[in-house]
Amino acid sequence: MLHTIVTSVPELLKAGIQYTIPLALISFFFGLILAVLTAVVKLMPKPGHKLPKLGWRILQAIFAFYVWLFRSTPLLVQLFIIFFGLPNAGIELPAFLAAVVTFSLNTGAYASETIRASISSIPNDQWEAAYTLGMKRPQILMRIIFPQAMRIAIPPLSNSFIGLVKDTSLASSITILEMFTVSQQITAKNYEPLLMYTIVAAIYAIFCSVLTYLQHYLEKRTSKYLSKDGAHH
Amino acid sequence: MITLEHVDKKYIEHHALKDVSLDFPKNETTVIIGPSGSGKSTLLRAINLLELPEKGHLKFDDLDIDFSQPISSKQQFQLRRKSGMVFQNWNLFPHLTVLQNITEGPRAVLKQSKTVAENAAKKLLELVGLPDTANRYPNQLSGGQQQRISICRALAMQPEYLLLDEPTSALDPELEIQVLRVLKDLAAQKQSMIVVTHNMEFARLVADRIVFFEDGQAIYNGASKAFFDHPEGRIKAFLEAISLESDEAADSNLS
Ligand SMILES: Nc1ncnc2c1ncn2[C@@H]1O[C@H](COP(=O)(O)OP(=O)(O)OP(=O)(O)O)[C@@H](O)[C@H]1O
Ligand SMILES: [Mg+2]
């Protein structure tokens, strides 16, 4: 048993570092950008000065459709459509890219709701105070609202990220050699499914624990201004 | 000079401003008083375009805003550059230090350098008697201190007019005094101000002019002295209603 562990763990970790972690990080990065974009489009119902009203509404409808689509279909099915299905429509993506695209779109759809809710939770007073200083909407979002909304968004976004790390195991079904795929391959050779899948589960758990620790650190940092003391810098 | 002409604002179920025409002279302190719900906040917020009346004009020096037309963001910006707003609950930015709160406007809007903005902010902090709070967060200050910081934040933009909506209503009496002293100093320096307040002592001591507002209309608009010395009709009733003293005592006190 010890032998199995000693030989398989390095292999699994290698797959984790090569595929699981990059897949999660890259997808979360793009997912977040997409989420912020979606949330901002959704939250700007005020008559836009730049875009004509109709154009704005169409844009909002597109984003709303996107969120609906990705939240109401299973991730595995999305992965299959993008990797196995799209070639039929002439769009052929390499497995890793297909996974990044799917995970990004999926994460973006969920996280957009988190971000929208956290932006809405900032009292209107803050907008008004910034408006009266003469600040413009994008400036207010960047300088006043986002920094405060972030504190509220961190716990649910961490949830999404941890979920994403585990969901990367679905990429095994589209030929990507991430950790779970590798654990299956090793099992096929040593016939020790209980041990192998327990080991891989433990590695996922370790990854996610590190993320939880990171979440607590970020929460503390972004809540610094709420403490009654020790905020001098 | 700020001038309102025939300004009219209806909320869904309430006619908040009824054809209001008023002017607010420069370098003077105008105090707006009146019963709760009479439209004072609506009026003050309209001057900063936080509320948009449906009709009427808002003239600010050479700027003329027609409320019946869509207001361009340029007009909106020009107008807000000329006035600073102080809120009842101060509305400081909680994630920024005191110094950052004050320099935020100058840096983001006026594009001042950090040094220039911070030096000006430090002078303002001295002015309101809080020179040692620069690196604290709003959460670590008392309400009275926070309100004084929010006055600094507004002053840092060097507004022509300072608009204050019940700046001391959320404060305990001794904290209220700290804030009112700052306003009294500003009035003495001829800072143009429009103040909504329920504090009659402040109105009596500091106001050059009084606007008495009731049911969406300005019933009185004139010198402060005449308002308190010879109150009549509705104004007399209002002053008596908010006074603890008996009629006679109130009369002798006012003369
Ligand atoms: N957003 C709104 N929607 C509907 N009605 C409103 C709204 N804001 C204010 N009102 C109504 O308009 C009237 C004037 O309100 P406003 O806040 O200007 O009064 P105020 O004189 O400032 O009162 P107070 O002294 O209590 O602050 C009130 O009757 C209020 O209920
Ligand atoms: Mg009010």
Side-chain angles (χ1 to χ4, degrees):
Chain A
M1 185 176 110
L2 196 66
H3 175 76
T4 315
I5 295 173
V6 170
T7 51
S8 67
V9 166
E11 242 182 292
L12 289 171
L13 281 179
K14 186 164 161 264
I17 289 163
Q18 227 170 8
Y19 290 105
T20 303
I21 292 176
L23 199 54
L25 276 179
I26 298 171
S27 305
F28 195 66
F29 175 77
F30 286 112
L32 263 191
I33 292 178
L34 199 57
V36 171
L37 203 71
T38 309
V40 169
V41 166
K42 207 170 206 176
L43 279 173
M44 294 274 189
K46 306 265 160 66
H49 295 290
K50 307 271 149 51
L51 273 165
K53 245 183 161 174
L54 183 69
W56 196 247
R57 283 222 213 100
I58 292 172
L59 197 65
Q60 284 186 326
I62 293 171
F63 276 95
F65 175 74
Y66 148 66
V67 172
W68 168 81
L69 188 67
F70 277 83
R71 291 209 311 169
S72 30
T73 52
L75 180 54
L76 187 59
V77 177
Q78 294 164 13
L79 209 52
F80 271 48
I81 291 179
I82 289 176
F83 182 66
F84 296 116
L86 285 187
N88 279 359
I91 306 170
E92 217 159 310
L93 300 177
F96 191 78
L97 185 59
V100 167
V101 168
T102 313
F103 291 138
S104 300
L105 286 168
N106 191 274
T107 305
Y110 281 96
S112 74
E113 288 295 283
T114 302
I115 289 174
R116 188 184 57 76
S118 61
I119 291 176
S120 318
S121 74
I122 305 302
N124 200 34
D125 297 355
Q126 292 286 307
W127 286 94
E128 288 191 348
Y131 274 134
T132 59
L133 289 176
M135 291 170 78
K136 306 250 161 72
R137 237 182 130 78
Q139 260 183 330
I140 300 175
L141 265 179
M142 293 306 295
R143 303 179 66 117
I144 307 296
I145 305 300
F146 280 153
Q148 295 182 58
M150 223 167 66
R151 186 182 69 81
I152 297 161
I154 283 173
L157 285 181
S158 303
N159 261 349
S160 299
F161 192 28
I162 288 171
L164 176 60
V165 169
K166 292 180 291 179
D167 285 344
T168 55
S169 61
L170 294 176
S172 65
S173 59
I174 62 164
T175 74
I176 292 176
L177 292 171
E178 49 71 58
M179 283 201 304
F180 187 49
T181 319
V182 173
S183 72
Q184 286 172 308
Q185 290 173 344
I186 300 174
T187 309
K189 280 182 248 158
N190 68 10
Y191 305 107
E192 295 219 57
L194 178 61
L195 183 60
M196 282 317 300
Y197 295 141
T198 308
I199 292 172
V200 80
I203 297 178
Y204 278 113
I206 290 167
F207 283 179
C208 293
S209 305
V210 172
L211 289 178
T212 307
Y213 178 80
L214 201 69
Q215 170 190 347
H216 291 317
Y217 169 76
L218 283 177
E219 271 181 51
K220 259 206 206 118
R221 264 204 70 125
T222 51
S223 303
K224 200 175 55 164
Y225 63 83
L226 290 176
S227 78
K228 287 278 177 197
D229 53 75
H232 304 269
H233 54 215
Chain B
M1 170 117 130
I2 296 178
T3 307
L4 298 174
E5 286 173 4
H6 305 293
V7 172
D8 212 85
K9 165 89 188 163
K10 283 196 184 87
Y11 292 112
I12 294 160
E13 294 199 326
H14 190 83
H15 200 167
L17 299 177
K18 296 175 181 164
D19 194 34
V20 176
S21 295
L22 276 175
D23 46 41
F24 300 95
K26 214 169 187 151
N27 303 118
E28 292 193 0
T29 299
T30 305
V31 165
I32 303 177
I33 56 184
S36 182
S38 56
K40 306 181 298 291
S41 297
T42 308
L43 180 78
L44 201 69
R45 289 163 58 81
I47 296 175
N48 216 289
L49 306 183
L50 290 176
E51 300 292 347
L52 290 179
E54 296 84 36
K55 274 187 274 180
H57 284 257
L58 165 61
K59 293 182 177 163
F60 201 138
D61 300 336
D62 46 353
L63 244 137
D64 182 353
I65 286 174
D66 183 350
F67 285 123
S68 62
Q69 305 293 321
I71 297 165
S72 74
S73 45
K74 185 162 171 252
Q75 273 180 317
Q76 199 177 46
F77 180 74
Q78 286 175 329
L79 189 97
R80 285 183 174 151
R81 272 291 296 115
K82 286 166 170 280
S83 58
M85 186 95 179
V86 173
F87 300 88
Q88 183 172 356
N89 295 310
W90 39 88
N91 301 1
L92 289 176
F93 305 127
H95 63 300
L96 299 180
T97 63
V98 165
L99 200 66
Q100 289 167 336
N101 262 280
I102 302 172
T103 57
E104 182 66 9
R107 296 201 61 197
V109 179
L110 307 179
K111 310 292 177 205
Q112 281 180 10
S113 77
K114 194 171 174 204
T115 339
V116 171
E118 286 189 349
N119 286 339
K122 282 176 190 156
K123 286 209 187 86
L124 286 169
L125 282 175
E126 300 234 344
L127 184 81
V128 301
L130 294 169
D132 301 326
T133 58
N135 293 325
R136 289 202 225 163
Y137 285 96
N139 191 43
Q140 300 164 322
L141 298 170
S142 74
Q145 291 172 327
Q146 293 194 49
Q147 189 58 299
R148 283 184 280 163
I149 302 298
S150 96
I151 292 171
C152 291
R153 178 176 67 179
L155 287 175
M157 298 298 287
Q158 299 182 309
E160 283 181 37
Y161 278 76
L162 205 54
L163 314 173
L164 304 103
D165 191 1
E166 301 200 28
T168 61
S169 302
L171 298 174
D172 290 340
E174 73 266 31
L175 300 182
E176 176 172 24
I177 290 298
Q178 299 170 348
V179 174
L180 292 180
R181 282 201 190 116
V182 169
L183 297 182
K184 194 166 166 244
D185 289 347
L186 288 173
Q189 292 162 28
K190 297 291 167 204
Q191 166 72 48
S192 315
M193 287 193 284
I194 306 175
V195 192
V196 175
T197 184
H198 289 293
N199 188 309
M200 288 304 133
E201 196 193 355
F202 175 79
R204 206 173 303 164
L205 287 175
V206 179
D208 298 298
R209 300 163 60 82
I210 300 281
V211 169
F212 182 75
F213 224 71
E214 187 170 52
D215 196 21
Q217 290 171 306
I219 292 183
Y220 180 92
N221 173 26
S224 161
K225 196 165 181 321
F227 181 85
F228 287 109
D229 288 356
H230 310 289
E232 281 166 9
R234 276 298 302 139
I235 295 170
K236 187 155 187 269
F238 174 75
L239 289 177
E240 276 164 10
I242 60 168
S243 167
L244 271 179
E245 302 163 82
S246 67
D247 294 3
E248 297 89 324
D251 283 348
S252 63
N253 199 25
L254 288 170
S255 57

